[in-house]
Amino acid sequence: MRMIDVPAVEKEAYKPDRPISGLIQMQLIHLSTAEQMLPPNIRRTGINIATLHTEGQAAEYIQKVTALLHRAGKAKTKTTKKSARKPRKTAKKPAAKSGKGRKAAKARK
């Protein structure tokens, strides 16, 4: 897997008490939707995103859901590898007709 270098963030950039922005709110919505797609026994956050108002609260939720999604992805990959099926052989389609016979038949009429 290709690794991507992420530059260090300045300490002043993150303020846990700052209200969340619209961008973070949209990220929370997307992550909440992804969390709801997980099987019920895996969904463990129990957090209503409407109660999250600061960057610190959002960061904690994002960390929890991301960890759940990673675990679920690894489990799915292991299951998929074990039950991988051989690709089915498909019947070859007959070659398409060239249409030359039609032209010749029209010319004969």
Side-chain angles (χ1 to χ4, degrees):
M1 182 182 294
R2 185 172 163 235
M3 299 300 286
I4 299 172
D5 291 326
V6 179
V9 179
E10 299 170 7
K11 289 183 179 181
E12 300 83 34
Y14 176 66
K15 297 179 182 173
D17 295 326
R18 180 173 35 200
I20 59 174
S21 66
L23 177 62
I24 293 174
Q25 184 64 40
M26 290 307 298
Q27 289 175 333
L28 294 175
I29 291 169
H30 288 291
L31 284 169
S32 177
T33 303
E35 180 187 7
Q36 297 308 310
M37 300 292 228
L38 294 171
N41 61 330
I42 295 176
R43 283 183 251 156
R44 295 186 193 144
T45 63
I47 297 172
N48 179 355
I49 61 170
T51 63
L52 306 176
H53 301 290
T54 66
E55 285 186 4
Q57 293 169 333
E60 287 179 30
Y61 176 75
I62 290 168
Q63 185 179 20
K64 289 177 183 179
V65 174
T66 302
L68 290 175
L69 293 172
H70 280 273
R71 272 188 245 130
K74 285 180 183 177
K76 187 175 183 180
T77 302
K78 287 179 183 177
T79 305
T80 305
K81 285 182 180 178
K82 288 180 182 177
S83 63
R85 296 182 182 175
K86 293 181 182 179
R88 286 191 248 162
K89 293 182 181 180
T90 56
K92 291 185 179 179
K93 294 181 181 178
K97 295 182 181 179
S98 65
K100 291 181 182 177
R102 292 180 188 169
K103 289 181 183 177
K106 283 184 180 179
R108 283 186 248 147
K109 287 186 181 180

